[in-house]
Amino acid sequence: MQYVAEQDFGEWYPGALSTGDAAYPSRRGPAKNIVRYMGGNQDRIAPIMTKGLNTYQFGNNAYGKPATALNILRETVMGRELFDYAFKEYTHRWMFKHPTPEDFFRTMEDASAFDLDWYWRGWFYSTDWVDIGLKDVKKYYVSSEPNQYAKNYAATNNRNLDDLNWVYLVEEGSAEFDKKLRKGTSADNSPSLKEYMMDNFTAEERKTIKQPKYFYNITFEKPGGLVMPIIVEFTYADGTSKTETYPAQIWRFNDNQVSKAIASEKEIVSIKLDPKLETGDIDTTNNSWPKEVKESDFDKFKNKVKG
């Protein structure tokens, strides 16, 4: 509540006029402000749901982390409208009463119809941290030339390759990759795809159908224990960018890594996770593709001395 009030107040507080800040500089609430604490020495960190006398850093444990957890829940996981509706319902149900933290947890889930047990367990009952990274990015082009998978399939199942009439993805950098596949649309590179479109769509329909030329397979990993949505910023060769958010449920079948297939009309030149630092990720060195090489403080000092 303090954080929300501070941000609303930030539109007209005196400091904004003199410094040009767009919002009040809240100490607690923004995800990036809890990174040092959550990524610190685990021997000096206890779950939020720990008796106060048994915690080492009471300020961060009782104020900083809970404020951040609820702020991320509102801004990134649930969305403001759904969170505010459920929070208002909680205040109505429990006004003039003595709710426990568990009553708050249950009411937020019940009022929103949003499964949050994973969130309460991670943020309030453990000392896990957020760390989501880009493990691998593979780039493909469409082709009508059979790849090794198709050849193996045909041989194993005693099928003729010409009868398969498949569309193939050829990985950039592989032995099968051909530079000419960069030209034209996916239909130009694959006669079988072009024939399918000619047979199944009218000329007017074909004008409005977007034909992705580039295909990517992105593998995300989760070295940290906390489950969070994956926020991805794609930057394209023409200088434009787009941000996609994959909900936390993306991890439900594999808690270690997941993959997403991306079809794009435009070539992707860079990928960045959590570009606005919304999730409290403690290690951003694995958040970019191509990998960003950041100069260390020592190297900065050394280059400064040389200069």
Side-chain angles (χ1 to χ4, degrees):
M1 295 295 290
Q2 176 182 332
Y3 174 78
V4 172
E6 287 174 346
Q7 297 309 297
D8 289 343
F9 176 63
E11 296 182 5
W12 55 270
Y13 86 103
L17 299 178
S18 59
T19 64
D21 293 338
Y24 189 88
S26 301
R27 289 177 54 237
R28 292 175 173 138
K32 63 182 181 180
N33 291 0
I34 203 66
V35 167
R36 286 187 63 186
Y37 170 69
M38 294 186 67
N41 184 356
Q42 284 287 306
D43 294 336
R44 296 286 174 173
I45 298 177
I48 292 174
M49 304 298 287
T50 302
K51 188 175 180 180
L53 293 175
N54 297 333
T55 60
Y56 292 101
Q57 304 178 60
F58 190 82
N60 282 321
N61 181 277
Y63 295 94
K65 187 178 178 183
T68 303
L70 294 182
N71 187 46
I72 292 176
L73 186 62
R74 181 176 187 254
E75 300 289 343
T76 306
V77 178
M78 295 179 69
R80 290 186 179 184
E81 185 177 357
L82 184 58
F83 179 95
D84 291 351
Y85 173 83
F87 193 85
K88 186 176 182 179
E89 180 63 26
Y90 164 72
T91 63
H92 286 167
R93 289 186 188 182
W94 288 95
M95 60 182 177
F96 309 122
K97 299 177 183 178
H98 301 281
T100 65
E102 289 79 6
D103 293 319
F104 170 71
F105 299 155
R106 283 192 289 266
T107 302
M108 289 296 289
E109 288 197 62
D110 178 59
S112 66
F114 201 102
D115 178 18
L116 292 170
D117 59 338
W118 57 273
Y119 195 83
W120 309 129
R121 184 168 57 248
W123 278 89
F124 288 81
Y125 289 91
S126 81
T127 61
D128 283 340
W129 56 88
V130 179
D131 184 12
I132 298 174
L134 282 164
K135 184 177 182 180
D136 186 44
V137 177
K138 285 186 170 62
K139 183 177 180 181
Y140 300 89
Y141 291 92
V142 171
S143 171
S144 60
E145 295 297 323
N147 56 18
Q148 193 57 48
Y149 175 84
K151 294 175 183 177
N152 293 341
Y153 176 88
T156 303
N157 295 276
N158 197 26
R159 297 283 300 277
N160 191 319
L161 279 171
D162 295 332
D163 296 336
L164 293 180
N165 200 33
W166 285 357
V167 177
Y168 304 100
L169 293 179
V170 181
E171 183 181 349
E172 185 178 50
S174 69
E176 301 165 314
F177 178 74
D178 190 334
K179 293 291 183 183
K180 69 182 180 183
L181 297 175
R182 290 177 175 272
K183 301 177 182 179
T185 66
S186 51
D188 294 327
N189 293 325
S190 176
S192 54
L193 178 58
K194 193 170 186 177
E195 290 170 8
Y196 174 82
M197 294 180 66
M198 291 292 290
D199 293 340
N200 293 278
F201 298 93
T202 66
E204 198 62 34
E205 288 175 329
R206 289 197 298 273
K207 289 181 181 179
T208 61
I209 294 175
K210 295 182 178 179
Q211 299 178 19
K213 178 184 176 184
Y214 303 93
F215 296 84
Y216 301 83
N217 190 73
I218 306 172
T219 302
F220 305 98
E221 61 178 349
K222 189 167 70 63
L226 290 186
V227 176
M228 291 295 288
I230 303 177
I231 306 173
V232 192
E233 181 184 63
F234 299 102
T235 301
Y236 302 97
D238 63 0
T240 60
S241 62
K242 179 181 73 170
T243 300
E244 292 278 355
T245 298
Y246 304 112
Q249 287 76 10
I250 193 173
W251 301 102
R252 67 189 184 279
F253 294 126
N254 190 324
D255 195 47
N256 297 315
Q257 69 177 43
V258 293
S259 295
K260 289 291 294 184
I262 306 294
S264 176
E265 291 180 88
K266 299 183 288 186
E267 183 179 11
I268 298 173
V269 295
S270 72
I271 302 172
K272 190 168 187 177
L273 302 186
D274 196 11
K276 296 182 180 178
L277 306 179
E278 300 174 61
T279 65
D281 195 321
I282 69 165
D283 180 12
T284 58
T285 61
N286 57 0
N287 284 22
S288 301
W289 174 85
K291 188 177 180 64
E292 293 182 356
V293 179
K294 294 185 178 181
E295 191 177 32
S296 67
D297 291 339
F298 177 74
D299 287 333
K300 289 179 182 178
F301 173 76
K302 190 167 62 173
N303 293 331
K304 185 178 180 180
V305 172
K306 287 181 179 178

